[in-house]
Amino acid sequence: MRLPRRTPYYAAATDELTYVHSHLYGDRSDAKGVDAALGVVRLWMHRGACPQAVESTALLVESIRLDQAHAPTYGVRATYAMALTRFVNSVADSFQTGMYAQSIGAIAERIGLPQWLVQVRHSATHEELPSLEVCRDASAIALGWLDQHYWQPTLHTSLETDGDGGTHDGATADEAEQAWHTAACDRAAQLLLTYRNCAQAVRRDVSLAQRSSPPHEKALADVVAWLHDEAGRYAQLAVRFDTAERLSVGAMHADLEEAEDDMPAAVLPVVTLLITQLLVPGALFPADTKKRQSVGSVSLDDWAPLWDALLDRLQAEVPFFFPMLVDALIASPTYQSVAHAWVAWLAAREMTVPLGVPRWREGEDTVLTTFSSRGAQRVPLRRLVVQYALEADSEDWHVLAQSLSASDPVLKERVAQLCALRHVDEVTTMAPDACLAEMEARASTSSQPSLPVVTAMATEKEEEEAAAPGGWHRASAYVPTPIGCLAGERPSLLC
């Protein structure tokens, strides 16, 4: 559930934006209409939460109005320069969503903002003011870019403009994401195969590891580089379809509040895709896995060392990699023997991981806005493995959880209690007479503590309760009665 967001609009947002757009992009010789639209924008700015794209449009239009009024040239150039600078800065700031700050030029290239506008902004900020002709041309280009990337997608929500100026609907976005997913899967499979072959070659020939650039380290670096590159491509893919949203103040503030050590949302789908490729035969699962399916019959002493370096490096890059990998191994419906061996292998690592990590949801849209390891509570990886194993439905995973918790007395006792609860029958099939007989036997053998008898202060009600027959017995008559009612009679609600 999202908290309500403050809005500057009084009536329907689309109606008010349509009114302002029609005058700011309409006939500018209609001074009365343009002034009315600019007055509405000023009102929105006083109310707060006015979209930056609307403010930039108004500043550019006001600069043009001042130019048309034949104001002093230097003042007009300064007004143009300030409007263009605020426009470029506001657009660039709204797309600063990574862990590290990016240059304005890199962001402009990514979102389709003309580089010439970035150069004009640099000149106005650090060099001489641009000439009047340059300012006029830059303002026209900026207004056109705002109309294409903010006004039209906002006013016509059924059609969104892409980076090339065309239109697309939701199906086009799905097709683009599917194309990215297919290409990324193929590339991930190639990189993992290359890494495995290089690691096997180094194990066969130790002299390869003594080179200045060992082949397995080069393959490992390629996998890590692919992880970051694909996260950037996925972020660019999302940017193509939400430019208008990011130009609003709400999205801008949410992005600017992102901490430096937060994991961007684009990393999660890439990690999910990589784990999917790791769980195919030939990667973490040996190619001859199908021949050995019984739990406990698989040894990873010869196979796991091939992947240790890669897994440790991925965990160092992404703090929630190991928890997601363990969760995926436990959820894997096939190759249970190897999955058990890998989970035990990972649980043997003496390391801690942060709480609140995303869970494995294969085939579903897993959303992670940001993940921050700063200030997050950390727990041993073994405890997280035990938790995930206890949540599984298979009895074999419960046995593994008990074995992993054997070295911790407190954890061992808790796990034993939780496993015992799984064996309690929720619904009994015993006959009522057999249940009463068992309850009578328990009542006769149970030891009741001796209570002091206070005869001086005993009331009649206490004497009647003391004279009541002991043990269990079936009631003489039963009338279905709501809670709070006596003998089936409803009390008066008006008393």
Side-chain angles (χ1 to χ4, degrees):
M1 188 180 80
R2 299 184 64 180
L3 295 176
R5 193 172 65 183
R6 203 170 79 181
T7 174
Y9 314 114
Y10 181 78
T14 305
D15 296 340
E16 296 190 10
L17 287 172
T18 301
Y19 172 80
V20 172
H21 177 267
S22 63
H23 287 89
L24 295 183
Y25 282 89
D27 185 10
R28 293 202 177 93
S29 61
D30 181 12
K32 185 177 180 180
V34 175
D35 288 340
L38 292 176
V40 173
V41 176
R42 294 190 195 99
L43 178 62
W44 290 348
M45 294 174 63
H46 283 294
R47 289 175 178 171
C50 178
Q52 288 286 353
V54 175
E55 180 183 349
S56 297
T57 304
L59 291 176
L60 292 169
V61 171
E62 283 190 317
S63 301
I64 295 174
R65 291 286 308 282
L66 187 64
D67 187 11
Q68 293 175 346
H70 304 288
T73 303
Y74 193 81
V76 173
R77 291 168 59 192
T79 305
Y80 271 125
M82 178 56 68
L84 291 169
T85 300
R86 284 188 61 83
F87 159 68
V88 175
N89 288 346
S90 63
V91 172
D93 288 343
S94 64
F95 288 93
Q96 290 281 10
T97 59
M99 289 184 291
Y100 304 101
Q102 305 178 53
S103 66
I104 296 179
I107 295 177
E109 183 179 358
R110 175 157 59 96
I111 66 177
L113 183 68
Q115 289 286 346
W116 183 63
L117 292 179
V118 179
Q119 296 174 3
V120 172
R121 175 259 178 200
H122 181 84
S123 176
T125 305
H126 304 288
E127 300 173 1
E128 294 183 0
L129 289 178
S131 64
L132 195 57
E133 290 75 13
V134 171
C135 290
R136 289 169 179 170
D137 294 341
S139 298
I141 295 175
L143 287 173
W145 192 91
L146 285 169
D147 186 48
Q148 176 183 346
H149 290 84
Y150 176 77
W151 289 100
Q152 296 302 327
T154 303
L155 298 177
H156 309 287
T157 55
S158 60
L159 295 176
E160 296 180 357
T161 57
D162 58 15
D164 299 328
T167 60
H168 63 82
D169 52 15
T172 305
D174 293 339
E175 292 174 1
E177 185 172 356
Q178 183 62 35
W180 168 84
H181 187 274
T182 302
C185 281
D186 294 341
R187 182 58 178 160
Q190 295 173 0
L191 291 174
L192 292 177
L193 177 61
T194 302
Y195 173 81
R196 188 198 68 184
N197 293 337
C198 292
Q200 288 177 331
V202 170
R203 292 201 68 185
R204 289 193 298 265
D205 187 358
V206 184
S207 63
L208 296 177
Q210 300 174 356
R211 295 181 177 180
S212 59
S213 179
H216 69 293
E217 292 186 3
K218 174 64 168 59
L220 188 152
D222 291 340
V223 175
V224 176
W226 169 88
L227 175 68
H228 293 288
D229 292 343
E230 290 303 324
R233 291 191 183 95
Y234 189 85
Q236 293 178 14
L237 184 67
V239 164
R240 286 187 58 195
F241 302 103
D242 65 351
T243 304
E245 291 293 332
R246 287 189 175 273
L247 287 176
S248 65
V249 166
M252 184 184 305
H253 287 176
D255 292 335
L256 291 178
E257 291 174 358
E258 193 176 28
E260 289 186 358
D261 61 341
D262 287 351
M263 297 299 298
V267 173
L268 181 60
V270 182
V271 173
T272 304
L273 185 149
L274 181 60
I275 291 178
T276 304
Q277 295 300 316
L278 284 171
L279 297 186
V280 299
L284 295 186
F285 294 155
D288 58 346
T289 299
K290 294 183 179 180
K291 300 179 181 179
R292 300 175 294 180
Q293 285 298 314
S294 59
V295 177
S297 63
V298 175
S299 175
L300 298 177
D301 294 339
D302 297 331
W303 191 252
L306 295 176
W307 300 94
D308 260 356
L310 177 62
L311 298 181
D312 289 337
R313 179 65 182 277
L314 291 175
Q315 172 63 22
E317 296 290 332
V318 184
F320 53 81
F321 176 75
F322 274 167
M324 281 195 67
L325 178 60
V326 170
D327 206 3
L329 287 168
I330 294 176
S332 178
T334 56
Y335 314 124
Q336 289 292 307
S337 56
V338 186
H340 276 256
W342 267 115
V343 170
W345 183 279
L346 294 172
R349 280 173 161 79
E350 298 295 335
M351 63 180 303
T352 60
V353 294
L355 284 177
V357 296
R359 300 299 299 270
W360 173 259
R361 296 291 185 270
E362 186 178 11
E364 300 180 7
D365 294 332
T366 307
V367 179
L368 176 68
T369 54
T370 56
F371 171 78
S372 176
S373 59
R374 179 181 59 182
Q377 182 181 358
R378 303 184 69 88
V379 295
L381 178 61
R382 178 187 296 270
R383 289 208 173 193
L384 207 61
V385 171
V386 171
Q387 174 188 337
Y388 290 173
L390 289 175
E391 294 175 359
D393 295 331
S394 174
E395 182 68 23
D396 297 328
W397 289 114
H398 302 164
V399 174
L400 178 63
Q402 289 179 308
S403 63
L404 293 177
S405 60
S407 59
D408 190 341
V410 178
L411 184 61
K412 178 181 179 181
E413 182 180 357
R414 294 179 179 178
V415 171
Q417 294 175 355
L418 291 175
C419 291
L421 292 176
R422 300 295 294 264
H423 303 289
V424 176
D425 296 332
E426 297 182 357
V427 181
T428 180
T429 57
M430 297 177 61
D433 294 337
C435 291
L436 288 174
E438 183 177 353
M439 294 168 69
E440 289 285 357
R442 292 180 182 178
S444 60
T445 57
S446 61
S447 59
Q448 299 181 357
S450 58
L451 299 176
V453 180
V454 184
T455 56
M457 301 179 62
T459 62
E460 295 181 359
K461 182 178 180 180
E462 293 173 347
E463 293 176 357
E464 292 177 358
E465 292 178 354
W472 303 94
H473 62 280
R474 186 176 295 183
S476 58
Y478 171 72
V479 178
T481 305
I483 296 177
C485 302
L486 299 176
E489 298 180 359
R490 297 178 179 270
S492 176
L493 300 179
L494 301 178
C495 297

